[in-house]
Amino acid sequence: MGDFRSILPLCEGEQHVIAATQHLVKALGASKNLDDDLRKILSQLDSHLSAMTILSPESRGTGFREVEQQFKWAEEKIRGWESNQSLMWDSDPLEASEYLKAVVEIQTLVEGLPRLSMSGTRKQKELLNRAESILQTAMSRLEEELVHILVKHKQYFELGNMSFQYCGKDVVYDESFVSVEDMRIEEASQRNNSGNESVDCVPDLVHPQVIPHLKSIATVMFASSYDQEFCQAFISVRRDALEEYLVILKVEKFSIEDVLKMDWNCLNFEIQKWIRALNVIIRYLASEKRLCGQVFEDLGFLNPFCFVEISKVSLLHLLNFGDAIAMGTPEPQKLFRLLDMYEVVADNLLYIDTLFSEEAGTCVRIEFHQLLRRLADSARATLFTFGNAIAANASTSPVPRGEIHPLTRYVMNYIKTLPIYCSILNVLLKDQNAAASNPVAELENGLEVSSMAYCPMACHLRSITCILEAKLDSKSKLYKDCALQHIFLMNNYHYMVEKAKSPELKLFFGDEWIREHIVKFKQHATSYERATWSSALSLLRVGSAGSSSTSKTILKDKCRGFIIAFEEVYKSQTGWSIPDPKLREDLQISTSQKVVLAYRNFTGRNSADIGEKYIKYTTDDLEKYILDLFEGSPKSLQRSRSRRN
Amino acid sequence: MRATDNQGSFLNRISIRRNQVVSMDGNHEQELEDLELFQKYVADRFSDLLSSSSDEAADSLLSVSWLRKLVDVFLCCEAEFKAVLIMGRDPSQVSKPPLDRLVPEFLDRVVKALDVCNAVSHGVESVRHYQKLAEIAVSAFEQRPIGDGQVRRAKKALNSLMLTLEEKEGSNHKSAERAWSFGRRGATNKDRAAAGQFRSLSWNMAKGWSAAKQIQAMSANLVAPRGAESSGLASPVYIMSTVTLFVMWALVAAIPCQERNGLSTHFPVPRQLGWAQSMVALQEKIAEEWKKKKEKTRLAGLLEETQKLERLGQSLIEFADSFHFPAEAARLDEMASQVSELADTCKKMEEGLVPLQQQIREVFHRLVRSRTEVLNVLDQVGKVSAPTM
């Protein structure tokens, strides 16, 4: 069976061009430095060219009848499928390629017919009309086939894998949950993030087997100038698939108003879904872009345009949620999620820039850069809100027993989570720190110090604890008892030091800070002892050696005075609390050393003068009683005294 | 500046003579001047818009290029407004009555406007889809000689166009369902064409979100300041609220949006306010258009280009229906002139829709920024109390 090309006439000029081209092709084909692909193309081209030149002047007269016969064959082929509801590529790919061949025949006819020698006759016009009509039928059919293939053979990312890799921030941050395996996957995904797009790991969104079918439909439809229909159909189906995928990822549609009103638990949940979705979608889009590339490969510059059309709406949707979150009021609890969001956008930004590098994608690129900036602003504002919130924390009643203030706990545990975000925070805080000159940093500039302790985040952490310290100082004033003020401050400073010494924070707070603060809580311990015991112990201080005039009565009064003072201290301070056992023990020992020693000296020297009856407690008793202090359960010695009296 | 001090003399001054310098706080003087300038600015912008919306002009009312002008006007007014409200002001002013109530109300409207921007932005996407379909018809009809094949091709595209133009507003659920059920399309061959590639986008807003309700909510408690308030900062807040409401309303009327059932056509803007006159005139014109449309034809929006596509599309479908090969020259000429009008319309859309979409996005970003700035001012005054821990 010949084809129309051999029948349809060519004008003379064209024939010369063909002859010249044939020479060129032959000359090229003789070259030895050709790869197989090129050689194949050349040989195909050669046979095409030969087919075009076969026609001789004689064949022109009979041409039309042959053309008609050829046309009938192709028309029947296409009409034959009209009533057939089953889909071509499903039922028989061979049949499908026959169909395509018929379409190409018609195409050639439609293109060549107007040039036929008797062009302009009624018969010829009618044939052209029929040909165009059948071509329309075929195009319509191919469009349906295209949609069907795209829908039927679409594939999604295996969510199992993806969720495993990408929703794991929380899990990864909480060390107790991290298995070695998870870590490795996380690292691997991180590496993929920063590396350039590796085509190997991009999954297929449409079964690879049908790509040639899609391409052949595209080629035929484009050749017949049905490119608009093809693009519309292709974009529409792929856009739906992406929207559908967002639904699979459980990304819901919220208005900004909804997001701003949403309670934190919901919001937290939605943010985590969003983070995961963004990670997955960006990778999905890499596949989408490749698919566009495969399908539109040989068809001009439509590829970036189609890709952007497919992805824009869904991405705007994701962007909007991000914008809405960044618009929310800065609340300390939101910080970590904001940082997570910042991180996922920052990590993917390079990807996004690559995916949307063409002009058609400019708007998407700009939007993501803007979102990143907004998230940064919002995270920064939240971080400073945290400091302000500490300063604004108002409570009028002191913490019972001088224990650790909930604010101290909250602040220290909060900042303990921050080092995970160290690199992000350093970026976010860098400009800020440059603006407000930091005396600490300036001081250390000349010295060789561990850089970790002087990174912007470390400075910020210390500035937060600085606010906390000021707040604690003012809160200590809520205690009427000066000694309890010191216990409270000692407890809280000690707590801060312990947290600062944890592996997460140690490097950021630095040895110097830790040393300074150890000194601080020790000073409060000393101050406590002075405040509590100095007056009582002064009673036990007997005048200088020469004061023999010290009368027995005075000694007895002093002894009684001390015992009353001790009992009062016992009564109140057994109710105070030092939650840390080591710290409590240290203070008990140091108190014991001072008090028991003084008591022993006093009673040892003066027991004869005072009389056994007035020496109510032995030194062992005192030692034992001191161990009851700061246990947080008030006790009393009063009853035993009254009984003895 | 103490807001209460000069209220009395303030009023007097306005009623007597504005330019006469009475012994008064310099700030007040400045403020009053600012307010007047702002009102004049808004009045001028809208009167330009009104005069350019006459039918003969290139930017006729509700055309793509007119909407772009409208959005431009909004952006300009917004910038001026921010200057009046924030720049060089003592921040404590916004925390005093009546602004302590009016400013948060205004910010509330801003948030609603953001959602409207998003809905309209998606609506523009639908309009671009109309354009693509019309373009197919144009390129089919432009083939010469024209035969049955190209006429059928054009008709198919135009039928799809008509179908999407009439897509019911409530159909968001339906189309969402359709799109998101696995492989439904193509499962039955009969559905293939109907549920095929020519359907428009599904509405991209939250379930239950309604543009009409949003506009309604924006106009709730929008009351012109009276008495002493009308000469203070309450006035620009009111003006900007009205401008925002009007612009959002006009966009919703022009561009297809999720749920426009019961979109109000009446505005609570007193005619007698000088700055509002052109706006009210425009509003009445658009409301007239809105009422003229039957419910069915309203769905695609009042955008001039959309209306043209609809009219020309309908007429060209009729041509296609009665087409017999070979075509009569007279009918062909008639068709050709309609096709060239359709091509012109598509060209205008091609040139204007993407920039319009970008402008709307700019409005979105601008509103977000301004909201943040105003919140910062409120924050400075300590109006927004620190969150409790």
Side-chain angles (χ1 to χ4, degrees):
Chain A
M1 190 183 301
D3 64 28
F4 293 132
R5 259 179 241 107
S6 55
I7 300 161
L8 294 169
L10 297 162
C11 66
E12 221 166 303
E14 235 171 292
Q15 293 215 24
H16 289 307
V17 175
I18 290 167
T21 317
Q22 251 177 320
H23 281 299
L24 279 175
V25 169
K26 287 220 163 69
L28 262 174
S31 163
K32 289 203 170 99
N33 308 327
L34 294 177
D35 65 17
D36 289 345
D37 283 345
L38 190 52
R39 201 180 292 281
K40 213 170 111 197
I41 292 169
L42 284 177
S43 86
Q44 279 171 352
L45 185 55
D46 191 35
S47 61
H48 277 298
L49 291 170
S50 317
M52 289 169 89
T53 47
I54 282 170
L55 42 119
S56 57
E58 303 89 75
S59 70
R60 287 187 188 178
T62 55
F64 187 69
R65 207 172 308 124
E66 285 179 48
V67 168
E68 251 186 330
Q69 270 167 8
Q70 281 300 121
F71 172 72
K72 274 200 181 112
W73 171 81
E75 191 183 32
E76 270 162 30
K77 191 96 221 153
I78 291 167
R79 290 246 184 265
W81 275 97
E82 220 175 353
S83 53
N84 191 341
Q85 290 289 312
S86 58
L87 288 140
M88 250 177 251
W89 270 271
D90 276 359
S91 34
D92 187 357
L94 272 179
E95 269 297 306
S97 76
E98 282 284 293
Y99 187 90
L100 285 182
K101 220 157 120 197
V103 176
V104 173
E105 297 279 315
I106 303 270
Q107 253 168 35
T108 321
L109 177 72
V110 169
E111 277 163 26
L113 209 49
R115 288 195 300 243
L116 211 59
S117 56
M118 73 279 235
S119 130
T121 66
R122 217 186 109 244
K123 252 182 130 183
Q124 191 256 355
K125 275 184 184 161
E126 260 167 19
L127 183 63
L128 183 62
N129 186 43
R130 263 172 69 197
E132 278 188 343
S133 185
I134 199 74
L135 192 63
Q136 162 64 20
T137 306
M139 289 297 133
S140 206
R141 177 60 182 246
L142 286 178
E143 202 180 296
E144 279 178 29
E145 296 282 340
L146 165 72
V147 170
H148 177 77
I149 293 172
L150 283 173
V151 170
K152 192 181 170 198
H153 298 279
K154 84 180 156 200
Q155 296 177 341
Y156 287 119
F157 281 17
E158 281 303 315
L159 267 180
N161 287 338
M162 294 311 278
S163 57
F164 191 58
Q165 286 186 15
Y166 295 111
C167 73
K169 280 292 168 221
D170 268 355
V171 180
V172 172
Y173 291 155
D174 190 338
E175 288 203 315
S176 57
F177 293 127
V178 184
S179 72
V180 181
E181 230 172 38
D182 281 347
M183 283 297 263
R184 213 175 47 230
I185 286 162
E186 178 65 23
E187 275 165 26
S189 73
Q190 296 286 34
R191 228 175 294 125
N192 283 349
N193 270 0
S194 49
N196 45 14
E197 284 171 86
S198 124
V199 181
D200 303 339
C201 65
V202 179
D204 292 300
L205 296 180
V206 169
H207 199 287
Q209 184 194 311
V210 301
I211 300 283
H213 305 164
L214 295 175
K215 278 180 80 165
S216 59
I217 294 177
T219 310
V220 168
M221 286 183 76
F222 272 65
S224 310
S225 307
Y226 277 68
D227 46 321
Q228 289 155 296
E229 277 94 339
F230 183 91
C231 288
Q232 282 293 300
F234 184 81
I235 290 170
S236 172
V237 177
R238 292 308 307 158
R239 188 165 44 197
D240 284 354
L242 181 53
E243 273 199 46
E244 187 173 302
Y245 195 52
L246 279 182
V247 173
I248 293 171
L249 291 173
K250 304 211 162 35
V251 174
E252 276 169 66
K253 295 177 179 181
F254 294 110
S255 67
I256 288 174
E257 218 180 356
D258 290 342
V259 174
L260 291 178
K261 283 178 188 160
M262 205 177 277
D263 77 79
W264 173 241
N265 285 338
C266 283
L267 212 54
N268 193 9
F269 183 58
E270 293 300 330
I271 290 175
Q272 289 181 14
K273 283 199 297 192
W274 183 88
I275 288 169
R276 171 165 162 265
L278 189 67
N279 256 326
V280 178
I281 287 291
I282 298 302
R283 272 140 202 84
Y284 174 101
L285 288 179
S287 296
E288 188 75 62
K289 194 166 187 189
R290 191 183 55 176
L291 176 64
C292 290
Q294 286 168 334
V295 172
F296 294 102
E297 211 164 28
D298 314 318
L299 303 169
F301 300 103
L302 286 156
N303 166 17
F305 165 78
C306 288
F307 172 67
V308 172
E309 288 292 302
I310 289 166
S311 46
K312 200 165 96 181
V313 172
S314 291
L315 284 180
L316 273 181
H317 177 66
L318 285 172
L319 280 161
N320 261 324
F321 181 81
D323 276 328
I325 295 293
M327 276 172 67
T329 43
E331 288 160 29
Q333 59 186 357
K334 288 183 185 167
L335 181 64
F336 305 114
R337 287 290 94 81
L338 278 168
L339 293 173
D340 285 341
M341 288 176 78
Y342 177 88
E343 188 179 34
V344 72
V345 176
D347 281 353
N348 281 304
L349 209 55
L350 203 67
Y351 253 134
I352 291 163
D353 284 347
T354 317
L355 283 172
F356 296 93
S357 55
E358 288 91 358
E359 208 206 324
T362 315
C363 56
V364 176
R365 250 185 302 143
I366 292 175
E367 288 281 343
F368 271 100
H369 281 266
Q370 272 184 338
L371 176 64
L372 186 71
R373 213 169 17 247
R374 267 196 202 138
L375 287 170
D377 288 344
S378 185
R380 209 179 288 125
T382 308
L383 197 58
F384 289 107
T385 306
F386 179 62
N388 297 340
I390 300 170
N393 180 282
S395 53
T396 44
S397 55
V399 177
R401 301 180 289 279
E403 278 177 352
I404 290 136
H405 199 282
L407 185 67
T408 314
R409 278 183 208 281
Y410 180 80
V411 171
M412 293 313 290
N413 287 320
Y414 187 92
I415 62 179
K416 208 175 147 185
T417 327
L418 290 176
I420 304 160
Y421 300 96
C422 179
S423 51
I424 302 175
L425 286 170
N426 280 341
V427 173
L428 294 185
L429 292 167
K430 208 166 87 192
D431 312 333
Q432 225 68 29
N433 275 22
S437 72
N438 188 331
V440 181
E442 275 166 22
L443 188 77
E444 304 297 340
N445 262 350
L447 302 165
E448 279 292 315
V449 282
S450 144
S451 60
M452 290 277 258
Y454 296 95
C455 69
M457 186 194 77
C459 296
H460 190 77
L461 293 188
R462 288 192 298 266
S463 80
I464 288 176
T465 51
C466 205
I467 301 172
L468 176 64
E469 285 169 37
K471 198 71 203 172
L472 289 173
D473 278 337
S474 76
K475 285 195 184 294
S476 72
K477 303 289 187 290
L478 293 171
Y479 297 101
K480 286 193 196 84
D481 191 327
C482 172
L484 185 53
Q485 289 179 7
H486 292 297
I487 292 292
F488 169 76
L489 288 173
M490 180 191 72
N491 275 334
N492 282 277
Y493 277 112
H494 179 263
Y495 183 86
M496 285 165 70
V497 169
E498 287 303 305
K499 288 286 172 182
K501 276 159 74 182
S502 66
E504 296 92 336
L505 291 176
K506 195 165 184 266
L507 288 171
F508 297 103
F509 275 94
D511 293 337
E512 198 183 314
W513 187 95
I514 293 171
R515 259 197 313 276
E516 271 173 23
H517 284 76
I518 290 175
V519 170
K520 277 193 182 176
F521 79 73
K522 288 200 165 151
Q523 274 170 353
H524 282 295
T526 315
S527 305
Y528 151 79
E529 285 173 351
R530 200 177 301 130
T532 302
W533 297 106
S534 60
S535 64
L537 290 183
S538 70
L539 292 172
L540 300 181
R541 212 168 294 133
V542 187
S544 57
S547 62
S548 53
S549 59
T550 314
S551 71
K552 285 183 185 179
T553 339
I554 290 174
L555 283 175
K556 276 180 199 162
D557 283 348
K558 281 193 168 185
C559 186
R560 195 188 300 122
F562 173 79
I563 282 167
I564 290 168
F566 185 85
E567 283 172 346
E568 263 163 23
V569 166
Y570 184 87
K571 192 179 158 196
S572 61
Q573 297 193 3
T574 46
W576 299 358
S577 165
I578 301 176
D580 184 80
K582 174 84 170 48
L583 183 65
R584 184 171 61 231
E585 202 176 293
D586 285 351
L587 190 61
Q588 285 166 343
I589 289 168
S590 127
T591 304
S592 209
Q593 276 173 351
K594 291 193 179 70
V595 175
V596 175
L597 187 72
Y599 188 67
R600 183 181 291 133
N601 284 345
F602 178 80
T603 50
R605 208 182 304 158
N606 304 308
S607 57
D609 293 335
I610 303 165
E612 284 296 317
K613 193 185 157 203
Y614 291 97
I615 300 176
K616 201 170 149 189
Y617 305 122
T618 66
T619 49
D620 288 350
D621 284 341
L622 281 197
E623 233 169 293
K624 203 179 89 220
Y625 291 143
I626 284 172
L627 290 180
D628 289 340
L629 299 182
F630 318 122
E631 293 281 357
S633 51
K635 291 179 184 166
S636 174
L637 297 169
Q638 303 288 344
R639 209 151 43 95
S640 53
R641 189 181 65 167
S642 56
R643 195 183 59 221
R644 283 210 188 181
N645 280 359
Chain B
M1 187 182 76
R2 287 150 305 182
T4 47
D5 279 3
N6 296 310
Q7 294 287 15
S9 55
F10 215 160
L11 261 179
N12 281 339
R13 229 180 120 263
I14 289 162
S15 55
I16 299 166
R17 226 172 86 191
R18 291 199 159 188
N19 291 332
Q20 186 181 9
V21 181
V22 188
S23 66
M24 184 181 280
D25 211 56
N27 279 334
H28 256 154
E29 188 63 35
Q30 183 63 44
E31 185 179 296
L32 204 62
E33 211 178 302
D34 287 352
L35 291 191
E36 260 183 68
L37 283 174
F38 180 60
Q39 292 191 359
K40 187 170 180 319
Y41 187 86
V42 173
D44 288 351
R45 292 285 78 73
F46 276 92
S47 107
D48 285 354
L49 205 56
L50 180 65
S51 61
S52 78
S53 67
S54 59
D55 286 338
E56 305 84 52
D59 313 317
S60 48
L61 187 72
L62 293 169
S63 63
V64 175
S65 55
W66 187 83
L67 286 182
R68 290 188 57 192
K69 271 192 172 178
L70 174 74
V71 175
D72 260 344
V73 165
F74 177 83
L75 287 169
C76 294
C77 291
E78 208 274 342
E80 290 293 316
F81 168 68
K82 219 160 60 185
V84 172
L85 185 71
I86 297 175
M87 271 143 92
R89 294 258 169 262
D90 175 2
S92 69
Q93 250 183 309
V94 293
S95 66
K96 286 176 189 154
L99 288 187
D100 62 338
R101 176 177 54 84
L102 294 176
V103 169
E105 276 176 12
F106 172 73
L107 293 181
D108 228 39
R109 270 178 218 119
V110 166
V111 170
K112 291 188 166 69
L114 290 176
D115 281 324
V116 174
C117 283
N118 278 333
V120 170
S121 194
H122 287 300
V124 174
E125 208 59 43
S126 304
V127 179
R128 288 185 63 213
H129 185 68
Y130 306 156
Q131 176 205 334
K132 299 280 175 227
L133 292 173
E135 275 170 358
I136 293 177
V138 169
S139 57
F141 276 134
E142 277 175 350
Q143 300 285 324
R144 286 295 178 276
I146 184 115
D148 287 328
Q150 294 300 336
V151 170
R152 270 169 51 218
R153 179 186 180 194
K155 194 183 147 188
K156 186 180 174 212
L158 291 175
N159 277 334
S160 300
L161 173 63
M162 292 304 149
L163 220 67
T164 46
L165 284 174
E166 287 168 20
E167 198 158 83
K168 282 263 178 293
E169 291 183 18
S171 69
N172 54 335
H173 306 311
K174 216 165 79 193
S175 60
E177 204 180 283
R178 196 163 61 203
W180 292 337
S181 61
F182 277 84
R184 267 272 282 287
R185 179 180 23 232
T188 54
N189 289 320
K190 232 175 71 191
D191 278 346
R192 273 196 319 229
Q197 59 284 8
F198 281 144
R199 68 173 190 78
S200 69
L201 297 162
S202 62
W203 303 105
N204 220 293
M205 296 299 287
K207 226 179 191 177
W209 189 88
S210 150
K213 276 187 199 145
Q214 206 77 354
I215 295 291
Q216 186 65 43
M218 280 176 77
S219 63
N221 62 39
L222 182 61
V223 185
R226 267 179 252 173
E229 280 183 10
S230 63
S231 57
L233 280 178
S235 167
V237 172
Y238 171 72
I239 294 174
M240 197 58 217
S241 292
T242 311
V243 170
T244 311
L245 174 62
F246 171 73
V247 172
M248 293 303 143
W249 175 80
L251 287 172
V252 167
I255 309 282
C257 267
Q258 181 169 316
E259 276 300 326
R260 287 181 300 182
N261 275 331
L263 182 68
S264 60
T265 49
H266 175 71
F267 258 46
V269 183
R271 245 182 181 290
Q272 67 274 18
L273 294 170
W275 55 268
Q277 271 169 17
S278 301
M279 194 194 295
V280 171
L282 284 169
Q283 191 268 326
E284 279 169 358
K285 277 187 173 190
I286 297 171
E288 199 60 34
E289 289 287 311
W290 184 260
K291 284 179 206 155
K292 261 200 311 217
K293 296 279 158 214
K294 287 195 203 92
E295 203 197 325
K296 204 178 100 181
T297 55
R298 236 187 247 154
L299 297 169
L302 297 180
L303 188 71
E304 197 202 29
E305 282 79 0
T306 310
Q307 305 282 320
K308 267 195 184 153
L309 294 193
E310 196 173 2
R311 180 170 57 77
L312 295 166
Q314 202 63 58
S315 151
L316 286 168
I317 285 176
E318 278 161 30
F319 167 82
D321 283 339
S322 63
F323 179 80
H324 286 297
F325 182 82
E328 303 158 34
R331 298 222 50 200
L332 219 52
D333 287 347
E334 191 191 326
M335 180 273 272
S337 84
Q338 287 184 341
V339 169
S340 89
E341 202 182 339
L342 192 64
D344 271 357
T345 312
C346 286
K347 192 164 157 265
K348 277 187 197 155
M349 294 170 99
E350 177 66 30
E351 287 164 355
L353 284 177
V354 172
L356 175 64
Q357 208 171 21
Q358 280 165 355
Q359 276 176 304
I360 292 170
R361 209 52 204 161
E362 197 189 329
V363 169
F364 179 93
H365 289 310
R366 180 82 77 76
L367 288 175
V368 171
R369 257 201 315 279
S370 300
R371 180 179 170 273
T372 312
E373 284 168 37
V374 175
L375 281 176
N376 285 344
V377 172
L378 291 177
D379 206 31
Q380 274 175 35
V381 201
K383 176 73 172 44
V384 176
S385 57
T388 48
M389 310 185 60

